[in-house]
Amino acid sequence: MPSYVALTYTRDVDWSAPEQAAEMAEYLEFGRNAAAVIRGGAALYPTPTATTVRVTGGKGGDVVIGDGPYAETKEALTGFYLLECDSLDEALRHAANLPAAWNGVVEVRPTIPSMT
Amino acid sequence: MTATDAGRRSPDDGDPRPASRLEPAPEPAPERARAPAPAPALDSAPAPEAEAEAEPELRPTPDPAETLAELLRGEGRRVLATVIRVTGDLALAEDAVQDAGISALETWRRLGVPPNPRAWLTLAAKRRVIDLLRREGARPVKEREAITLAVQQTPDDTPPGVVRDDQLRLIFTCCHPALAPETQVALSLRVLCGLSVGEVARALLVPEATMAKRLTRARRKIADAGIRYRIPDAEELPGRLGAVATTVFLLFTEGYASRSAGAPGAGAQVADAPFSAAPGAAAPSADPGFPGTPVAIPDAAPALVAQAAILDVAPAPAAPTAPFAAVEAIRLGRLLVELMPGEPVLEGLLATMLLQHSRLAARFDNAGDIVLLADQDRALWDRGLAAEGIELAASAIRGSSLRPERFAVTAAIAACHALATDAAATDWNAILAWYDVLLALDPSPVVGLNRAAALAERGEPAEALKAVDGLVGLDDYFWFHATRAELLRRLGRDREAGAAAAVAEDLTESAAQRRLLARRYPR
């Protein structure tokens, strides 16, 4: 059975804050409704909490730690789901029920089978 | 785990197959040169057990070239749709069916045409699939076994209903919204119509290498993202129709406007495809009587020549027979109407195609020269097709009365012509009114061009020229310059008319279009 990630791009807010509770409840509802195909996923803390890691000079080189994100964008990656669906069409049907689909955009990508 | 599930590749196979075998650029000759001779079993009649009795019944082939052309046009693509459904692998199926076609050519030339060509071809393709799978090596064993099993369980003689559904599945796959519109069109022309990559590239005004890459990417996305070969569910079907209708209509116009004749603007503006992509598209009905308007050109020759090149057989005569892509498009249109009766988009699409097609026999004289609408012998029009088209047009308009579908409106315009007993009886007021509706739905310059042509036909050439000169983005469009030439001629500005005609001439490779210009604007 193929797997897909549904990446949610939305407002870059703190989803753990009480102000987001109403919208989070919608995500939880999605989680219950799509439980049969959800294999994992998480909401992410806002992008200012992101840290980048880069190794310069190729493998074994210096590890450079940086502060992400690179630029302020209107919509940021704020969460993801791993979905196991029979087809792209099925994955898209579920993705369309994510609040991010109307509050932002959802990107659905197939995963490479043996790497999941 | 089904064969379709198995269609997914593991990353460690290095994906050599799509990358190399799918690279369609030089197809198919180099592939043929590289490929070993077809499996021995295919070289004679296939399946001794299945066809043993058939062999004595083989009859001498009257014309192998004709048989082969017919095979590749019709059965070949039907078989392809079936094999794609069974294997779930577009590239594999394309290769197998192509090889089966080559085998058919070689064998049938020697032994004659078998009684059931499609079953022969299906069996040959199935064997070739298994053969190709064996050679591939890189594909995971489980997947190979699943496809092999699915292929073995598929009967050679596919029931008509299944053949129909296979074709529909393929239509909806090629027109899946997860593919970019320009990719949908290209893929449909390639897979549904059987054009070569080069022909698709020319039809859409894209460099061949770019088109080859685009098609390869499309096949990979279908396989990797899990776009299934299926007819959409009832609730998603309506939303999928627009893209399908657009693609089928492009297919139709592809049949009329040869690659050389133009398909102008399609590459740039595929979203507007029905009305900006090709001459026939722009004005199914609006060839109101001078070369300035897009008259559909039944130019069957290029497709036939292309087939012949593949098969190394003599090209069929370029007589104004029905262009096969157009015939295929109508067939697909009928299938779609059958699948979704009463759907205005599809009724309008089919009506537009039928009405345009009904004038086929009158479009060329015996010398192969274009006969303009006003001069056409309307007794040659196919009244049966026209009547069917008018009825569908009316139904399409009724069915979308709140907001008319574009295809319903183009059908209405075409119906206005079909209803006129002679050119003088044409109701240009009605046609202009429909063009106003069309322009509101689709404010594209090509629609504007056709509206202007109708204006000229109503007796307002000066107004028409003003409108035409206000259009932008049509500099490379044959009919834009041809229309200007005609309007200028009508206004007595012969020198400018000649200059516009010269520009038009540079934009077409169609001999018929060039003769028309030469006749009309002697220099």
Side-chain angles (χ1 to χ4, degrees):
Chain A
M1 186 80 91
S3 291
Y4 300 84
V5 281
L7 306 168
T8 59
Y9 290 84
T10 63
R11 290 172 301 126
D12 195 10
V13 297
D14 180 359
W15 294 102
S16 65
E19 308 87 77
Q20 310 303 333
E23 196 167 339
M24 276 309 280
E26 291 187 305
Y27 279 97
L28 293 176
E29 188 191 346
F30 168 83
R32 282 190 299 275
N33 292 340
V37 299
I38 294 174
R39 294 292 171 271
L44 306 177
Y45 282 112
T47 51
T49 66
T51 307
T52 58
V53 181
R54 188 196 310 273
V55 174
T56 61
K59 193 175 181 181
D62 294 337
V63 177
V64 180
I65 306 295
D67 181 28
Y70 302 102
E72 290 283 329
T73 51
K74 214 166 120 210
E75 287 175 347
L77 176 63
T78 51
F80 68 94
Y81 290 85
L82 182 63
L83 307 174
E84 194 172 296
C85 296
D86 181 51
S87 67
L88 178 64
D89 286 337
E90 192 193 345
L92 296 177
R93 263 198 302 279
H94 289 296
N97 291 327
L98 276 166
W102 53 87
N103 292 327
V105 67
V106 183
E107 178 180 332
V108 177
R109 292 265 289 272
T111 65
I112 298 174
S114 66
M115 297 188 77
T116 55
Chain B
M1 174 69 81
T2 66
T4 1
D5 289 330
R8 303 181 56 73
R9 288 182 299 278
S10 75
D12 56 348
D13 67 5
D15 198 16
R17 198 185 42 72
S20 55
R21 283 179 45 230
L22 285 197
E23 205 57 63
E27 73 180 354
E31 182 73 35
R32 296 282 70 69
R34 214 165 48 239
L42 291 178
D43 209 21
S44 56
E49 64 279 7
E51 297 275 333
E53 292 97 359
E55 185 122 7
E57 294 172 25
L58 296 179
R59 54 186 191 278
T61 314
D63 184 352
E66 190 183 305
T67 306
L68 256 304
E70 191 182 329
L71 169 82
L72 282 206
R73 277 177 227 156
E75 304 295 13
R77 276 172 295 117
R78 291 188 188 96
V79 170
L80 176 62
T82 299
V83 177
I84 288 172
R85 185 243 312 157
V86 172
T87 61
D89 188 321
L90 184 57
L92 179 66
E94 275 187 290
D95 284 350
V97 173
Q98 189 170 291
D99 289 347
I102 302 292
S103 293
L105 173 68
E106 291 167 356
T107 308
W108 298 3
R109 265 183 177 169
R110 239 187 11 256
L111 301 173
V113 181
N116 187 340
R118 193 194 305 169
W120 195 103
L121 197 62
T122 305
L123 177 59
K126 281 165 55 183
R127 291 187 168 183
R128 190 66 185 145
V129 166
I130 291 168
D131 198 43
L132 287 169
L133 282 172
R134 208 175 289 133
R135 284 159 203 267
E136 268 178 359
R139 199 185 289 257
V141 175
K142 247 174 81 179
E143 183 183 322
R144 198 163 60 208
E145 285 171 353
I147 297 178
T148 302
L149 185 67
V151 165
Q152 283 166 345
Q153 288 173 344
T154 302
D156 302 334
D157 208 351
T158 317
V162 175
V163 170
R164 195 201 68 169
D165 286 353
D166 285 343
Q167 294 260 292
L168 279 170
R169 284 185 189 95
L170 204 48
I171 293 170
F172 282 108
T173 303
C174 289
C175 302
H176 196 283
L179 302 170
E182 64 269 26
T183 301
Q184 296 177 24
V185 168
L187 198 60
S188 296
L189 290 175
R190 174 79 188 94
V191 176
L192 300 174
C193 186
L195 299 190
S196 73
V197 175
E199 288 171 317
V200 176
R202 284 191 291 284
L204 302 180
L205 304 180
V206 170
E208 186 164 337
T210 308
M211 182 53 72
K213 279 196 206 100
R214 186 185 293 171
L215 287 168
T216 300
R217 266 203 310 274
R219 291 186 185 92
R220 288 211 49 175
K221 177 155 188 185
I222 289 170
D224 293 343
I227 296 175
R228 300 289 177 234
Y229 299 97
R230 55 184 279 275
I231 299 168
D233 299 336
E235 66 267 26
E236 25 170 358
L237 203 45
R240 299 279 302 274
L241 284 176
V244 171
T246 299
T247 300
V248 171
F249 195 67
L250 254 189
L251 198 64
F252 178 75
T253 57
E254 175 61 21
Y256 273 91
S258 69
R259 265 65 61 202
S260 55
Q269 275 291 338
V270 174
D272 295 330
F275 308 109
S276 64
S285 51
D287 34 357
F290 58 93
T293 36
V295 185
I297 308 301
D299 196 346
L304 292 173
V305 171
Q307 298 281 14
I310 291 167
L311 294 168
D312 187 33
V313 296
T321 50
F324 98 93
V327 172
E328 285 298 306
I330 289 174
R331 191 176 60 80
L332 294 175
R334 286 191 195 281
L335 276 183
L336 289 166
V337 169
E338 201 182 314
L339 182 75
M340 293 193 67
E343 174 54 56
V345 183
L346 301 178
E347 286 180 337
L349 166 73
L350 181 57
T352 301
M353 294 192 296
L354 289 173
L355 286 162
Q356 179 159 343
H357 207 59
S358 71
R359 300 201 293 267
L360 179 69
R363 286 213 179 89
F364 284 81
D365 62 18
N366 290 333
D369 280 330
I370 296 171
V371 181
L372 299 175
L373 182 57
D375 307 324
Q376 285 175 11
D377 177 0
R378 297 188 179 213
L380 293 175
W381 288 3
D382 187 323
R383 288 289 158 192
L385 285 185
E388 191 186 352
I390 290 167
E391 198 169 309
L392 281 164
S395 175
I397 290 290
R398 277 199 305 275
S400 63
S401 51
L402 288 182
R403 181 185 161 82
E405 289 292 341
R406 292 193 300 182
F407 279 116
V409 178
T410 57
I413 296 169
C416 288
H417 289 296
L419 289 166
T421 46
D422 56 56
T426 308
D427 186 348
W428 291 107
N429 287 328
I431 288 173
L432 272 166
W434 281 118
Y435 268 119
D436 287 338
V437 175
L438 188 55
L439 211 48
L441 297 170
D442 176 28
S444 73
V446 172
V447 173
L449 181 67
N450 286 290
R451 190 191 178 279
L455 207 55
E457 288 301 312
R458 199 172 66 177
E460 298 160 56
E463 283 302 305
L465 183 62
K466 217 166 102 188
V468 166
D469 284 338
L471 299 170
V472 287
L474 297 179
D475 288 349
D476 297 330
Y477 191 26
F478 170 84
W479 292 112
F480 173 73
H481 298 284
T483 302
R484 288 197 73 245
E486 178 62 19
L487 295 175
L488 289 163
R489 190 184 69 83
R490 290 189 184 190
L491 293 167
R493 292 155 67 176
D494 287 348
R495 246 192 43 197
E496 291 163 89
V503 178
E505 192 181 335
D506 282 343
L507 289 169
T508 181
E509 288 170 33
S510 157
Q513 285 180 348
R514 291 188 161 183
R515 283 201 303 276
L516 180 69
L517 292 173
R519 224 165 56 217
R520 207 144 175 110
Y521 314 100
R523 267 162 290 156

